[in-house]
Amino acid sequence: MIDALKAQWKGDRLMKKNSTMATSRDKIFKQPKLTIGLDLGDRTSHYCILDEAGNVILEDSLPTTPKGIRQAFGRIPRSRIALETGTHSPWVSRQLTEMGHEVIVAHARNVRLIGESSRKDDQLDARTLARLARIDPGLLGPVRHRSAQAQIHLTVIRARAALVGTRTALVNAARGLTKSYGQRLRKCGSGQINREMAKGLSPELREALDPLLGEIESLNERIAEYDRRIEQIATQVHPEVARLKQVKGVGTLIALTYVLTLDDPQRFRRSRDAGCFLGLRPGRRNSGQSEPQLHISKEGDRYLRTLLVQGAHYILGPFGQDSDLRRWGLKLAERGGKNAKKRAVIAVARKLAVLLHKLWVSGEVYEPLRNSHKVVSAVA
């Protein structure tokens, strides 16, 4: 009898607790101007809800899944939700936006109160995001994620890059192992390496390297498949890529990656901002009369920045087309100093980013020696 009464008392208490929680949540969901900080984790995420006065009214966790996001924020009225950039931030931000919320994606490198905090945990990070978003969203260094279509097309390019990196590692391994045996594979590009190259090696070494060279052959085939898909995407979905390819040294891979990474050309007020967006501008740490010369900021997309630097190397190289950009870069490289060529390459990459944006927005026909022709006409 006593056990039965205890069980009934515990049941009534649990029901009362659940009823109180449901009532409090209903009150929260009816409050206007909520600000929410969401700290995304791989499996579980934590969030903190502030009212209009900045008081914490709810802190909880949720599964990092579309269903978990929908259950936690589906019944909340339009709110301001702040989260950091990360693996899950693209799809989470799109889902929250579709649900009608104002979403702020904070640049993880710019939120030093979180990254450099001595008291760092998920719950505190969510609270900090909420407070910063409530005070001034500009403190979060907000970024804008690309569209779902641009992301899936960019995934094709990134998958190809992963295969290229793997192939490079395998080719280096094959060449290194051959040299350690006192022999060499003949010189050729990574795309030309196959099992036939091992014919000049000793039988035991050829047998040892055959599976490795077979893997490289397979990777060459997969990379060629990705190349065909990239050409197809550029032709059928992004015709603006053809405008960017007018610049010699800019192929389909660079042009398409540029278009997909920027996604919307109107996001920049000036074409010059494209170079800053990709981290190709010098950093700045001026104070008083001190104006030290710093390296480039390296913010933005690293892969696209690498491709633009490769394009700059081609433009300044022996096979580059004569153009205003090439002439300007070569003059910069002649100024002397051991790092003059490196600085010239980075400067040309920055100008290339600006030029591509200008061609994209204006739709103009590219004239390689446009400025030089103007100078000649003025002199004449």
Side-chain angles (χ1 to χ4, degrees):
M1 184 67 178
I2 296 176
D3 293 338
L5 290 175
K6 285 183 178 180
Q8 183 179 358
W9 178 78
K10 288 182 179 180
D12 292 342
R13 186 179 179 185
L14 182 60
M15 289 179 61
K16 183 178 180 181
K17 181 179 180 181
N18 292 336
S19 176
T20 304
M21 289 179 63
T23 303
S24 62
R25 283 179 179 268
D26 289 339
K27 290 181 180 179
I28 290 171
F29 296 156
K30 293 178 181 179
Q31 292 193 34
K33 296 183 179 180
L34 296 175
T35 305
I36 303 172
L38 176 60
D39 184 74
L40 294 174
D42 187 50
R43 298 288 182 180
T44 304
S45 300
H46 291 75
Y47 64 93
C48 172
I49 302 179
L50 304 180
D51 61 14
E52 191 173 358
N55 300 314
V56 177
I57 55 178
L58 180 63
E59 291 182 313
D60 206 346
S61 61
L62 56 90
T64 310
T65 61
K67 182 179 178 181
I69 296 293
R70 185 168 55 253
Q71 289 179 342
F73 305 114
R75 294 188 296 120
I76 298 179
R78 176 178 169 80
S79 306
R80 174 181 290 175
I81 302 179
L83 54 127
E84 282 188 291
T85 53
T87 303
H88 296 282
S89 62
W91 69 265
V92 172
S93 62
R94 283 197 296 268
Q95 182 176 355
L96 291 174
T97 301
E98 291 170 359
M99 292 164 61
H101 296 293
E102 176 193 355
V103 182
I104 301 171
V105 182
H107 196 309
R109 289 178 59 183
N110 291 350
V111 188
R112 300 194 171 219
L113 284 175
I114 294 178
E116 299 180 5
S117 174
S118 59
R119 296 177 58 235
K120 191 176 186 324
D121 62 65
D122 296 338
Q123 187 174 356
L124 185 60
D125 292 350
R127 194 181 307 172
T128 303
L129 281 170
R131 295 198 182 283
L132 290 174
R134 176 181 171 273
I135 296 170
D136 183 2
L139 296 173
L140 297 172
V143 301
R144 187 173 69 183
H145 282 304
R146 57 188 64 89
S147 64
Q149 183 189 50
Q151 185 177 358
I152 194 63
H153 289 162
L154 197 57
T155 299
V156 174
I157 293 176
R158 295 296 178 83
R160 177 192 179 276
L163 291 183
V164 170
T166 302
R167 181 182 66 181
T168 300
L170 293 181
V171 169
N172 291 340
R175 292 192 181 278
L177 292 171
T178 306
K179 289 179 182 179
S180 67
Y181 205 79
Q183 303 180 43
R184 288 179 182 271
L185 293 173
R186 63 179 175 84
K187 291 184 178 180
C188 68
S190 298
Q192 284 75 48
I193 290 186
N194 51 44
R195 286 188 173 96
E196 297 297 321
M197 294 186 63
K199 284 186 175 180
L201 304 178
S202 60
E204 60 271 17
L205 184 57
R206 185 167 61 248
E207 182 181 357
L209 293 181
D210 185 73
L212 181 60
L213 296 176
E215 285 299 321
I216 296 174
E217 274 188 357
S218 177
L219 285 174
N220 286 334
E221 294 174 2
R222 302 289 85 76
I223 292 170
E225 291 176 6
Y226 272 123
D227 288 337
R228 289 190 289 270
R229 289 181 63 181
I230 289 171
E231 289 287 349
Q232 184 179 13
I233 292 171
T235 304
Q236 298 180 359
V237 185
H238 298 283
E240 61 271 22
V241 166
R243 302 180 206 164
L244 278 57
K245 289 173 63 177
Q246 296 178 92
V247 182
K248 298 300 180 183
V250 176
T252 302
L253 181 61
I254 296 178
L256 183 59
T257 305
Y258 186 91
V259 168
L260 294 175
T261 302
L262 270 62
D263 198 21
D264 180 12
Q266 303 303 328
R267 66 190 301 176
F268 302 118
R269 186 171 58 88
R270 304 172 303 171
S271 293
R272 291 179 60 186
D273 295 337
C276 300
F277 173 75
L278 296 174
L280 290 167
R281 64 167 177 81
R284 185 170 59 186
R285 194 177 292 276
N286 298 348
S287 178
Q289 301 299 317
S290 175
E291 296 183 7
Q293 185 177 7
L294 304 178
H295 297 290
I296 58 173
S297 64
K298 293 187 179 180
E299 296 176 341
D301 191 271
R302 180 180 180 181
Y303 182 63
L304 177 55
R305 186 168 58 250
T306 301
L307 291 180
L308 289 174
V309 170
Q310 291 176 2
H313 273 290
Y314 180 89
I315 291 171
L316 295 177
F319 304 106
Q321 180 190 33
D322 186 23
S323 63
D324 294 328
L325 185 57
R326 175 180 168 85
R327 292 182 181 183
W328 178 81
L330 291 177
K331 285 184 179 179
L332 195 62
E334 292 172 356
R335 291 184 180 178
K338 61 179 181 179
N339 293 323
K341 180 65 180 297
K342 292 182 180 180
R343 288 197 297 268
V345 169
I346 298 300
V348 169
R350 181 170 61 249
K351 277 189 172 290
L352 182 59
V354 175
L355 173 61
L356 294 180
H357 184 268
K358 186 67 176 179
L359 292 174
W360 187 5
V361 173
S362 65
E364 297 177 359
V365 176
Y366 174 58
E367 300 177 42
L369 296 171
R370 180 177 183 177
N371 295 333
S372 299
H373 290 159
K374 288 181 179 179
V375 172
V376 173
S377 300
V379 172

